[in-house]
Amino acid sequence: MNNEALLEAIRVNELKFDKNVKLIRTPLTQTYHTALKPDTHPLVYELYPSTCYAYDLLRYGGQANIQRAAEILEVVIERQDKDSSRATYGIWPYYHEESLDEMDRPDWNMADFQGKKLVLILKKYAEFLPEALVEQIREAIYHACQAIILRNVGPHYTNIAIMGAFVTLVGGELLWDNEIRSYGEQRLKRFHTFTSGIGTFTEYNSPCYSPIAIEELDSIYQESATSMAVTLAEQLLDIAWEMIAKHFHPATGEWGGPYSRCYYTLLTEREKHFL
């Protein structure tokens, strides 16, 4: 994302930002995991999009943006379940208005999604943030890593398998925790062995999910200090791009099937932008 696109994304989110709550407020459109209903909660404060907004603010820079990002992160981190005796340990709810206990089946993927953004923030922007907040981020990453390790998603769940490997691998590197880092490396090895064995991803040739897999693998390739992990990520990226190249149709600019997961017949604007 170039600076112009980044600034536009920040402007869009600024219109949704509540300066009192320190979170983004959007219409409730989610129909799964949450027990909230649009008729009683037409607008909700979303935690993960707020983390993404904070990350964008830090990427763009400037003292006012950094200050707002710090305020957002303090609110988001506070909502993580940090009690290791609970089944929801290490994850976040979707909304400020709804606790994990109140949700209709909490989403354990939130450890991966929130964890990834926090790892990137810690790695790239810790020097700009207050020391106390940096320590909170480190603790949140630790709890997210523990949730990911306890869940131990298999290699068939393509995107979460890769994302969880990134969070634990790079998170472990940043925390100087070799046990967590080693788990991330071994998880990536298992995914590499599984994918190489069948010759492709379980989520095969998917216009909606293959780009996510590539983005997650690229994060490992770009950010990890573990040489074996970088090599494995590069080999997996080759598999992914070869799969896309074989199915892309230059004459129409479309991505041909067969797909394993697809929601639309033709490419969406996001998928076209990715390619």
Side-chain angles (χ1 to χ4, degrees):
M1 189 184 295
N2 58 35
N3 271 359
E4 184 177 344
L6 183 58
L7 183 58
E8 179 57 27
I10 289 171
R11 285 171 177 162
V12 169
N13 281 323
E14 186 173 6
L15 297 174
K16 307 174 188 176
F17 184 70
D18 186 316
K19 295 180 180 179
N20 295 316
V21 182
K22 315 294 186 188
L23 294 172
I24 288 174
R25 199 178 194 202
T26 61
L28 175 61
T29 57
Q30 197 86 315
T31 58
Y32 51 89
H33 288 295
T34 180
L36 301 181
K37 305 300 180 186
D39 57 340
T40 56
H41 292 82
L43 296 172
V44 287
Y45 293 105
E46 292 195 89
L47 296 176
Y48 178 63
S50 296
T51 305
C52 295
Y53 177 41
Y55 179 58
D56 286 346
L57 290 168
L58 290 168
R59 290 171 69 192
Y60 196 79
Q63 190 55 46
N65 286 341
I66 292 170
Q67 177 62 34
R68 174 170 289 187
E71 293 172 352
I72 292 169
L73 291 170
E74 286 179 356
V75 175
V76 170
I77 289 171
E78 192 274 329
R79 296 306 308 277
Q80 184 188 31
D81 187 345
K82 304 175 183 67
D83 185 348
S84 60
S85 68
R86 286 169 47 86
T88 52
Y89 169 54
I91 71 173
W92 281 261
Y94 282 168
Y95 307 118
H96 187 61
E97 295 87 342
E98 183 179 44
S99 70
L100 286 163
D101 291 336
E102 293 169 323
M103 292 179 71
D104 178 15
R105 295 174 295 110
D107 186 354
W108 272 263
N109 289 348
M110 283 297 100
D112 305 82
F113 279 95
Q114 292 276 21
K116 178 185 175 181
K117 290 298 181 186
L118 293 177
V119 165
L120 290 171
I121 287 169
L122 180 63
K123 190 172 192 295
K124 296 174 180 290
Y125 305 109
E127 63 183 296
F128 302 106
L129 296 170
E131 187 175 337
L133 176 58
V134 170
E135 185 56 35
Q136 290 177 48
I137 293 171
R138 292 177 63 86
E139 290 176 2
I141 291 170
Y142 175 82
H143 297 310
C145 287
Q146 294 304 317
I148 290 167
I149 292 170
L150 285 168
R151 188 184 182 199
N152 198 28
V153 163
H156 60 282
Y157 195 167
T158 304
N159 294 302
I160 296 301
I162 302 169
M163 194 183 301
F166 170 82
V167 176
T168 49
L169 175 69
V170 182
E173 291 171 358
L174 294 172
L175 298 177
W176 294 95
D177 189 317
N178 193 55
E179 184 176 347
I180 293 175
R181 187 211 63 79
S182 179
Y183 170 85
E185 183 180 13
Q186 293 304 314
R187 178 163 166 155
L188 184 63
K189 285 181 179 178
R190 288 196 304 273
F191 181 80
H192 181 276
T193 300
F194 176 84
T195 303
S196 300
I198 63 175
T200 187
F201 300 147
T202 300
E203 293 170 347
Y204 170 73
N205 191 43
S206 172
C208 42
Y209 290 103
S210 294
I212 298 173
I214 287 172
E215 289 167 0
E216 300 308 326
L217 288 168
D218 187 66
S219 293
I220 294 173
Y221 181 75
Q222 298 288 347
E223 306 297 342
S224 178
T226 302
S227 59
M228 176 59 73
V230 172
T231 299
L232 294 177
E234 183 176 26
Q235 292 172 1
L236 288 163
L237 282 166
D238 286 344
I239 292 173
W241 280 115
E242 181 180 11
M243 175 180 66
I244 294 172
K246 284 181 176 178
H247 291 86
F248 182 71
H249 188 241
T252 59
E254 286 296 330
W255 184 335
Y259 312 121
S260 61
R261 295 183 74 183
C262 182
Y263 302 117
Y264 306 97
T265 304
L266 301 178
L267 290 180
T268 66
E269 288 303 313
R270 181 191 180 280
E271 291 153 3
K272 289 179 181 178
H273 179 72
F274 171 81
L275 291 175

